[in-house]
Amino acid sequence: MTLLDDLQFLLAKYHIKPRKSIGQCFCIDPFLLRRMITYSRVTENDIIIEIGAGFGFLTRLLSDVAKVVIAIELDPTLVKAIKEIFRSKKNIRIIQGNFLKIHLPKFNKIVANPPYSISSNLILHLFRLNFQYAIMTLQKEFVQKLVAQKGSKNYRSLSVIASYSASIKMLEDVPRESFYPHPNVDSTIISIKPQKPLFNVGDKHFYFKMVRCLFTHRNKKLQNALKFFIRNESNIANDAIKTLVKELPYLDLKVYELTPEEFGIISYKLYSIFKENKIILFS
Ligand code: SAH
């Protein structure tokens, strides 16, 4: 029996028709699952979070090596199925809910083939959590945005926020045939290790907000994008904005040409000026 046979049996047994809208593409490559276990270097001391457990193919392998696996699954029918399948497994805890919304118990690693439908929010959510590292399979194009460097066509605010928040490595590419039903995209396995910021940005939320706003003008010169940001975010008059912007560096570069650290320098200066002058920020 292949994993695809197992999957088709389970889909029929539980009357489930995979819903792509919530990322229901199940892994049918046992070697891929094994390699994820190897990459994750899980030991019997680890408490693992799995995001989107599906029918639990990865959950089972994780439970063989981890202390505890906390499997989170949105679809109540799948939750019913894996509760039955893992009835006798003492170290698997199943939580029904939306990973982005539920309160998580304590854990130290994440290993998952999560739903691609929530990739951006999922990554931003992870950056707010405390853990050692995550091993995950994500959509290849999304990963390329996550790790993109300044100047490249994939470079965007997400790349900057990711580079500030974590060390991210691409481990291997995965063809779409490894999943059923096949997604319309290929995938990449990555590791995400949260890191202490490597440079000072003044205030993290200000930095994220500034970078997001500047990238809505990604091909404009920084000075113009900055004027827009300051006008949007503060009660400063237009003339004063011009004077203020002149004090900042990299003004003639295009937004997409700045490194995360250079955005950090801008954010640090701007935030300090705002604070010193008690300038009111709108949000
Ligand atoms: N990890 C499994 C399933 C991958 S498909 C495997 O490799 O086979 C992704 C799974 O995530 C689906 O079972 C889907 O129902 C679930 N899911 C979708 N959105 C979710 C969310 N917001 N929180 C938790 N699980 C979710």
Side-chain angles (χ1 to χ4, degrees):
M1 282 259 278
T2 63
L3 218 44
L4 178 59
D5 294 331
D6 288 348
L7 177 64
Q8 276 169 337
F9 171 80
L10 289 166
L11 287 171
K13 176 170 177 192
Y14 290 98
H15 309 289
I16 292 175
K17 205 170 165 291
R19 280 187 286 158
K20 280 198 180 174
S21 60
I22 55 165
Q24 288 185 336
C25 296
F26 303 93
C27 181
I28 50 166
D29 177 353
F31 303 106
L32 169 62
L33 296 176
R34 285 255 158 245
R35 287 200 300 283
M36 289 192 69
I37 300 293
T38 308
Y39 287 131
S40 61
R41 289 176 282 124
V42 171
T43 73
E44 74 268 10
N45 299 319
D46 289 326
I47 301 178
I48 309 293
I49 290 270
E50 189 194 357
I51 307 158
F55 279 109
F57 297 155
L58 181 62
T59 323
R60 181 182 297 281
L61 296 182
L62 284 168
S63 78
D64 290 340
V65 282
K67 182 175 179 190
V68 176
V69 185
I70 302 161
I72 298 159
E73 176 51 58
L74 180 69
D75 185 333
T77 318
L78 282 170
V79 168
K80 181 173 165 270
I82 48 178
K83 280 197 168 157
E84 260 174 49
I85 294 167
F86 295 132
R87 221 177 6 231
S88 60
K89 284 270 186 187
K90 294 277 176 287
N91 68 340
I92 298 180
R93 226 183 112 188
I94 297 158
I95 301 180
Q96 198 253 311
N98 180 344
F99 172 72
L100 301 173
K101 296 199 175 145
I102 60 172
H103 173 77
L104 296 172
K106 245 177 106 78
F107 69 99
N108 64 317
K109 290 179 188 165
I110 297 172
V111 185
N113 291 328
Y116 296 171
S117 45
I118 57 166
S119 298
S120 279
N121 289 337
L122 182 137
I123 289 291
L124 295 172
H125 192 64
L126 290 193
F127 293 155
R128 288 182 222 118
L129 303 174
N130 191 8
F131 60 96
Q132 278 173 275
Y133 55 83
I135 300 293
M136 292 197 296
T137 311
L138 292 169
Q139 182 178 342
K140 186 174 176 180
E141 278 137 45
F142 176 78
V143 170
Q144 283 166 344
K145 288 174 195 159
L146 211 52
V147 300
Q149 308 274 323
K150 71 155 189 179
S152 89
K153 75 172 193 320
N154 285 319
Y155 192 50
R156 55 207 65 212
S157 57
L158 180 73
S159 332
V160 176
I161 292 169
S163 154
Y164 174 81
S165 311
S167 158
I168 300 177
K169 294 206 171 70
M170 293 194 277
L171 302 175
E172 69 172 87
D173 286 343
V174 175
R176 60 195 74 186
E177 291 75 25
S178 299
F179 297 89
Y180 181 88
H182 302 332
N184 300 325
V185 293
D186 293 321
S187 303
T188 302
I189 306 177
I190 60 167
S191 70
I192 301 179
K193 196 172 184 315
Q195 70 189 3
K196 290 223 168 69
L198 302 173
F199 44 87
N200 193 346
V201 299
D203 178 86
K204 184 169 114 175
H205 300 289
F206 183 83
Y207 175 65
F208 286 2
K209 179 181 263 217
M210 183 194 83
V211 167
R212 281 202 184 98
C213 178
L214 294 181
F215 267 89
T216 60
H217 305 276
R218 120 186 248 291
N219 296 322
K220 292 223 173 88
K221 280 194 179 170
L222 180 70
Q223 53 182 311
N224 297 328
L226 272 174
K227 281 177 199 158
F228 178 84
F229 169 65
I230 299 170
R231 208 176 299 130
N232 240 355
E233 286 303 321
S234 72
N235 55 350
I236 310 179
N238 271 347
D239 285 353
I241 291 180
K242 278 192 190 145
T243 321
L244 194 165
V245 166
K246 278 201 196 112
E247 290 180 39
L248 300 168
Y250 318 121
L251 293 179
D252 284 328
L253 290 182
K254 303 254 174 73
V255 168
Y256 72 91
E257 293 174 327
L258 271 81
T259 63
E261 186 162 6
E262 287 165 346
F263 284 117
I265 292 168
I266 303 279
S267 161
Y268 182 83
K269 287 203 173 196
L270 205 52
Y271 188 72
S272 312
I273 296 171
F274 278 26
K275 235 170 85 178
E276 263 166 41
N277 296 290
K278 299 199 168 54
I279 291 167
I280 300 167
L281 291 173
F282 286 149
S283 47

